Amino acid sequence: QVQLVESGGGLVQAGDSLRLSCAASGHTLNRYYMGWFRQAPGKERDFVATISPTGGYIHYADSVKGRFIVSRDYAGNTVYLQMNSLKPEDTAVYYCAARIGYSVADNYDYWGQGTQVTVSS
């Protein structure tokens, strides 16, 4: 069983940056693809980014490509999402997730509780 806890969310202005963290416990993450998803009010949960177990493959949603960077720290068993040039439309609850195998769908096996990101204009 993998437990995931996100942190780092908050209220920022458009153009600012935030770094989200996802700390894992219960199991090492080195076998898992790690994904970031987000859900805005009244909308479905959308894919943001995913990173392979080795970190050698990364895929971003078009809406965040060039602004967000996903990375992983194997020693700390943590995954990060660096969010730059934030826009009001990035406002959402952000979730990290883990699964064996690549996916951009929300069919991950383990999920965190989410962290709120609010970007004001």
Side-chain angles (χ1 to χ4, degrees):
Q1 190 78 4
V2 176
Q3 289 84 44
L4 303 172
V5 178
E6 302 96 336
S7 61
L11 172 63
V12 296
Q13 294 186 331
D16 286 350
S17 297
L18 273 178
R19 188 175 81 156
L20 305 183
S21 299
C22 173
S25 61
H27 209 287
T28 58
L29 295 180
N30 57 8
R31 296 172 56 229
Y32 294 88
Y33 274 80
M34 298 301 298
W36 285 96
F37 291 78
R38 66 187 181 185
Q39 187 168 23
K43 296 188 177 181
E44 295 184 350
R45 188 159 54 190
D46 290 332
F47 167 78
V48 174
T50 187
I51 183 168
S52 66
T54 64
Y57 180 77
I58 293 172
H59 181 68
Y60 296 100
D62 288 344
S63 58
V64 306
K65 199 173 296 181
R67 300 188 298 124
F68 290 11
I69 300 171
V70 61
S71 61
R72 57 195 305 166
D73 171 8
Y74 295 92
N77 218 29
T78 302
V79 180
Y80 302 98
L81 184 68
Q82 176 68 41
M83 305 186 296
N84 301 317
S85 302
L86 282 161
K87 305 174 181 180
E89 51 264 43
D90 294 319
T91 296
V93 177
Y94 283 72
Y95 300 89
C96 71
R99 80 185 304 272
I100 302 293
Y102 171 82
S103 177
V104 298
D106 65 349
N107 56 359
Y108 280 57
D109 298 311
Y110 304 102
W111 292 85
Q113 83 290 349
T115 186
Q116 176 71 47
V117 172
T118 303
V119 184
S120 64
S121 59

